[in-house]
Amino acid sequence: MWLLPAVLLVGIAALDLNTAAEFRVASWIVLVPGLAAAVCGVWTTAAFGVVSLVTFVLVDSAYHDQYRAGLADFILVALGGVLATLVAVLRVRQERRMLHMQDITRTTVRAVLRPLPDRWAGLEQAGVYLAADVEAQVGGDFYDIQPSPYGTRVFVGDVQGKGLGAVETAAALLGSFREAGYHEKDLGTIAERLEIRMLRHRAHTAATDRSGEDRFATAVLVAFSKDAPGMVDVVNFGHVPPLAVGPHGVRELSCGEGLPLGLCDLAGGLPPQHRVTLVQEETLLIVTDGVTEARDRGGEFYDLVGDVAEAVAADPHCAEPRRLVRLVRDGVLRHSRGRLADDTTVFAVRRLPETEECPGTGPLPGALGRGFSDKEGYA
């Protein structure tokens, strides 16, 4: 980056030496340390301040006394170098602070959305999260997979609102899911635990005056049972209905639409549990409303089903989780021209063939025979 101010310095000096004596531009050299302050480090900026001052003196001394810039311009260039150095110090400090905040954000993302293996617990998965606030890089969307002795559970959702409150709520729900999803046999019990956790969390945030009394979350809870390889159990908490994507096309799973987590008491109970067909070659696609409500400049919504169906018809391999997630992500960004109005999550998962072995499906070590090894990174 030092090349930019260096070229500017040489250009100003050459221009001043090759123009008439009545047209002096030597004082423009004050721009050089200013440019260096924007793109270079502190010591490089200070060096440009010194070099600029020396260059000014040498260029100015090439003219007769009546055409020299004089003391005022000398002070201007010297003061410009000092101020540019101070600006560079402030800029570098701010950049370091921003990098530190980015590290904290990445740590937060990893804590809420823990990294998942591509193949785990009998499932092949892929997911992508795009925050509407690019600088924040984290919001209220979440997804996770939890293996258990009773099968593998999947949880995808979207917390109402934005900011740290939404992140905190997502973390609370995921913590409960990871515990209940492992220990509880019945999917309805897991759903009940999640509803209770949402109510407890909302009561706590309301008691601490953090405006969380109205917060809720839409979510989809899915169970891949060992005893039903061609079926999945689904509980839908007011979320966008999942799609089954396979070589033969795209279909919406009929899993009902209950109320979001935190509002189920308004309907007199939890959403019903549905068992729906999901054959081996089909991929379960779950998205948040950041996908379905993405708009173009004309206000048209993104056609998720049509886009995916067209791609699968042209190439059945597009139903593979990684390719499917990439397809939807690119489609949303293209449709909205990169202007996301809401956090956007795309998550795709499908069963692995029974002949393939993957982590999370073998014997469960531990005193109770139910705990995963910390060394393997499983909860």
Side-chain angles (χ1 to χ4, degrees), residues 140 158-170 173 198-199 201-203 205-206 210-218 260-263:
D158 178 9
V159 176
Q160 171 264 337
K162 293 180 173 60
L164 293 178
V167 176
E168 185 180 7
T169 303
L173 290 174
M198 186 69 201
L199 295 175
H201 178 76
R202 192 168 63 190
T205 54
R210 288 185 288 166
S211 301
E213 57 271 15
D214 294 326
R215 197 177 297 280
F216 58 87
T218 65
L261 286 165
L263 302 178

Side-chain angles (χ1 to χ4, degrees), residues 170-193:
L173 290 174
L174 285 172
S176 292
F177 166 71
R178 289 161 186 166
E179 286 299 311
Y182 177 78
H183 290 289
E184 301 295 343
K185 180 178 181 180
D186 181 58
L187 191 66
T189 305
I190 301 174
E192 183 180 9
R193 292 272 297 270

Side-chain angles (χ1 to χ4, degrees), residues 13-136:
L15 180 63
D16 188 77
L17 292 173
N18 288 277
T19 54
E22 294 81 3
F23 182 74
R24 297 298 313 282
V25 296
S27 58
W28 293 6
I29 288 178
V30 71
L31 299 174
V32 174
L35 177 60
V39 297
C40 299
V42 175
W43 290 108
T44 304
T45 302
F48 270 111
V50 174
V51 172
S52 297
L53 188 61
V54 172
T55 303
F56 172 81
V57 172
L58 293 176
V59 171
D60 198 41
S61 63
Y63 288 87
H64 297 292
D65 292 342
Q66 66 270 27
Y67 297 115
R68 289 183 179 177
L71 180 62
D73 286 353
F74 176 84
I75 294 176
L76 174 65
V77 175
L79 183 60
V82 173
L83 292 178
T85 302
L86 293 177
V87 169
V89 171
L90 296 176
R91 179 182 61 81
V92 170
R93 286 181 178 177
Q94 184 66 16
E95 287 179 350
R96 289 175 178 172
R97 183 175 180 274
M98 290 179 62
L99 290 174
H100 179 63
M101 294 301 296
Q102 288 177 359
D103 289 339
I104 294 176
T105 299
R106 281 192 290 267
T107 302
T108 302
V109 172
R110 289 179 64 89
V112 177
L113 298 178
R114 61 180 179 178
L116 296 173
D118 293 339
R119 294 168 176 251
W120 190 30
L123 301 178
E124 179 185 4
Q125 67 82 29
V128 63
Y129 170 75
L130 301 174
D133 185 348
V134 178
E135 294 182 356

